[in-house]
Amino acid sequence: MGLKEVKKYLDIAVTAIDGSPRQGQIEMAEAVANSIIDQHHLLVQAGTGTGKSLAYLVPAIISGKKTLIATATLALQRQLVERDLPKIVPALEKELGREIKYGIYKGVGNYVCLQKLNSEEPDPDGEMLLEISSLGKEAQRLRAWAETPGVSGDRDEAPEVDRRVWAASSVSGRECVGADICNFGAKCFAANAKAKALNSDIVVSNHTLLALEVVESHPILPERDLIVLDEAHEFMDRTTQAVTEELTASRIARAAAMARKYKALSNKLVDAFTHASDDFADAMDAYAEIFRGEVDTNRKLDALPQELESAVRRVRETAQAIMQFLQADDDIIDTTELAERARVKGAVNEVNVTAQKLLKLGKGQVLWYEPTFKTLYLAPLSVSNVLRKNMLRQTPVIATSATLNVGGGFEAMAKQIGFLDGSESSIEAMEANIASETGAEVGKDLIDPANVQMLDVGSPFDFAQQGMLYLPKQLPEPGRDGIAPEVLEHLGELIEAAGGRTLALFSSWRGVEAADAHLRKVLAELPIRIITQKRGDAVAPLVEKFASDETSVLLGTMTLWQGVDVPGSACTLVAIDRIPFPRPDDPVMSARSAEIDAAGGSGFMSVSLPRAALLLAQGTGRLIRSTEDRGVVAILDSRIVNKRYGSILLNSIPPLWRTSDPLVVKESLKRLASTFES
C-alpha cells in the first residue's frame, strides 16, 4: 500500500460522495496508511470539514485489515454505516476487485429480545406495563414491529417507545442466555447482527463496548488488526463511565423481584435477599437525610459509611447465596427455564459483584454518594494504564478528533489515552527489556504504546475570515451565586443584535434556567423563539427545532457542547457563559487532581485545565461548520483574558479573529442578520 495508491483510492472515494479533494484529508490518509504499514499508533487532530472519516476508512479498506471503528456518538455511527460506507464501498470494490463487508456492532440491550417478548409470564419489567395503559399500547406497537419480516430489531430503527417499554422488551448482556440455547436463537436480532459484524472487514461500534472489553480483559467485539478511535477526546470519560459501578435500592429490588418469580429458588433464599433489599433502601433513605439542604456537601467518600456498610454486606451475602444455588443448578433442560434463569442470574450477579467491590474498596478507586438519585458509585481513579496494557500494546490505534490539542500540544490527550505514561509496572518494564535483548516476543505485546505519531492536519476553514471571537473584559467573573445579571443582560443584547440565530451554551442547569427566565422577559417583544433544554431531553429533536427556525435561540447545557451541527443562517452566534472547568464537587475529577497535588504536581494544570480546554474547543467549534458560515463566538467569562491560564485555553480553540469591543461585535451581528433578512 503505497502513498500514491492511497491518494488514488481516496480520490475515488471522494468522488463517490460528490466531495472535493482536501489537503488535510490527504495528509491524514497518508499518515493512517503509514501507521498501518509500520504498526505504530497515530494521534491526529482533524478540524471540522477535513473529512476525517474517509481519511481513515480508505487506507483501512485497501489494506485489507480487519478494522474496528469506535465512536462516541450515535450520529457518527449512523453517518459511517448509512452514508459514507454505502457510497464508497461499491466504488472501491470495483477498483479493488474484491468484496468489502461492513457492519455495526452494538450491545445486546440495543435489540429486542424475542424470548423475553414471547415469555408467557412477564418478569417485573413487563408487569409494570400491564399497570399503565399507555405503556401497554406502546408495548403492543413495539411487538408488532418486531414481528414484521425483515426488521433489524435495533432500537434505533424501532418505533419510539418509553424507556420502560424498551427495558421490558430487551435484556442486558449479563441476562442473555445465548443464541445457542435460546428457543429464538435462530431469529435472535442481536445474534444475527453480531454474526454479520464478525464476518465484516469494517466493524463500527461504540466507545463503551470497546472500553468494557479492554478494562475487563474479556472479548466482546470481533477480533481486529486495527482500531480507529473517532471522537477520541471522549474516550477516557466514556471508559470511566463504562466501568463505573453503581448500586441503588431500585436495582436490588428489581433483582429480588426477578428472583421471587423464579420458582426453583427456595423461599428462604428469596426472603433473605428481599429483606436485605428493603434494609438497604431504608439505609439509603436515612443516609440521604445528611445531604438534605446541603448542596455543597462533598459527595466523595473515603470509605463506605458505617450507616451503609452493614446493609451492603447483607445484600452481598444474600445475593451470593442465590448465585451459589444458581451455579449449582445444572439439571435444567427446558430452554425457556434456562433463559429465565439467565435473566435472574444476570440481575442478581450484577448486584453481587458491585456490593463486593464496594466492600473491598482499594487504592486507585473513587467512591461517592449521589443524594439526588440515592446512588452509590465506584469508579477507577485512572484508566490510562489499563488502556495502555490491554489495548495499545496489542493493536495499532488511530485516535482522531477535531479537538485533541490542548494549549498547542497533544501531551495531555496522549497521557489520558495511555500513549504517554511513565507508570509501567516493574514486571512490564522487565519483560520489555528481556524482549529487546533477546528479540523474543512477550505474548502479544508487540507494540510500544509510546511509538505514536502526533499530527494536526488543520481545517479547510479560514477561521480568521469567517468568524469573530468576542472576549469581553468588563464582565464580572463567575462566582458561587450563579450567572451574574450583567452577563445575562449582555447575552440578551447580543441575541437581539443577531436576530436570534443563537446557540447559548451553559456549564450548569442553573445557568440555563436563569437565562431562560431573563431572556423570556427582555426578548418578549421580538419575533425570537426560545427553545430551552430540560433535564432528560433528547438532543436531536431540540437541534432539529433550532435548525428549522432561523430566528430561534437554543439554550442548553453540556450535552449541546458537542456534536451539534447546524451550518448556515440558523446559527451565527455561539455564546458560552463560562469556562467549563469541572465542578469542584465532581468526585472523579477532584480525586485525580488531589492525587497529582499530593505528588507535587498541579491538579489544576494537569486535570481541570485540559478538560476545560477540550470542552471549550468543542463548544466554539459549533459555529463554523462549512466554508460559507459566518458568525461570532462570545465567551462571557472575563477570566479567559484576565488570568494567566487564559492563553492555554485560547491556543486550544479555532483561530477566530479576536476582539473585546462590544460595539464592534453587535454591529457585525446586525450586518450579518440583515443579509439573511434581505
Side-chain angles (χ1 to χ4, degrees), residues 276-534:
S277 173
D278 293 340
D279 290 345
F280 179 81
D282 292 341
M284 291 287 272
D285 286 341
Y287 192 66
E289 292 299 315
I290 298 173
F291 294 85
R292 186 180 295 277
E294 299 292 335
V295 178
D296 295 328
T297 301
N298 190 356
R299 298 173 293 156
K300 183 175 173 296
L301 304 170
D302 294 327
L304 193 62
Q306 290 184 349
E307 299 93 329
L308 301 177
E309 196 271 344
S310 60
V312 174
R313 189 171 300 280
R314 184 66 179 145
V315 166
R316 155 74 174 146
E317 291 170 350
T318 54
Q320 179 65 17
I322 290 177
M323 288 303 302
Q324 288 173 348
F325 175 85
L326 293 175
Q327 288 165 350
D329 186 19
D330 292 329
D331 298 329
I332 302 174
I333 299 176
D334 181 68
T335 53
T336 300
E337 188 176 351
L338 282 170
E340 183 183 356
R341 184 183 72 167
R343 291 204 295 273
V344 174
K345 189 175 179 181
V348 174
N349 195 45
E350 190 170 15
V351 170
N352 174 47
V353 169
T354 301
Q356 182 181 27
K357 290 181 179 179
L358 289 170
L359 292 166
K360 292 185 177 180
L361 184 65
K363 187 179 179 182
Q365 294 177 306
V366 185
L367 172 67
W368 74 97
Y369 175 77
E370 175 52 65
T372 305
F373 304 105
K374 298 178 184 177
T375 305
L376 282 168
Y377 291 98
L378 184 66
L381 186 60
S382 172
V383 294
S384 59
N385 286 343
V386 72
L387 294 178
R388 187 177 177 87
K389 179 181 178 182
N390 292 348
M391 181 176 72
L392 300 179
R393 286 188 177 280
Q394 315 299 324
T395 311
V397 172
I398 312 296
T400 185
S401 170
T403 53
L404 292 176
N405 194 315
V406 175
F410 289 95
E411 287 74 15
M413 185 54 62
K415 287 179 180 178
Q416 283 188 15
I417 298 177
F419 293 114
L420 302 180
D421 193 327
S423 59
E424 289 179 306
S425 71
S426 58
I427 294 177
E428 289 174 325
M430 182 178 67
E431 288 180 340
N433 287 335
I434 292 172
S436 64
E437 291 172 5
T438 64
E441 294 181 356
V442 183
K444 278 186 164 183
D445 293 350
L446 306 176
I447 302 173
D448 178 4
N451 184 15
V452 55
Q453 179 188 5
M454 302 181 194
L455 177 67
D456 183 351
V457 298
S459 169
F461 304 148
D462 188 342
F463 289 105
Q465 291 294 321
Q466 292 183 244
M468 183 183 296
L469 179 61
Y470 175 43
L471 305 169
K473 297 178 180 179
Q474 76 280 11
L475 295 177
E477 291 185 6
R480 294 169 63 91
D481 296 330
I483 191 167
E486 295 91 335
V487 172
L488 291 174
E489 184 179 347
H490 204 54
L491 174 61
E493 294 170 356
L494 293 173
I495 292 173
E496 182 177 352
R501 300 185 173 87
T502 301
L503 172 63
L505 302 173
F506 299 85
S507 58
S508 68
W509 287 109
R510 190 178 176 187
V512 173
E513 291 156 4
D516 177 81
H518 175 79
L519 295 174
R520 289 189 187 280
K521 291 179 183 177
V522 300
L523 302 177
E525 303 299 321
L526 299 174
I528 295 175
R529 178 188 183 191
I530 298 174
I531 305 166
T532 303
Q533 182 184 23
K534 294 180 175 59

Side-chain angles (χ1 to χ4, degrees), residues 604-616:
F604 174 77
M605 296 298 292
S606 299
V607 176
S608 299
L609 195 62
R611 181 178 177 81
L614 288 169
L615 271 174
L616 200 60

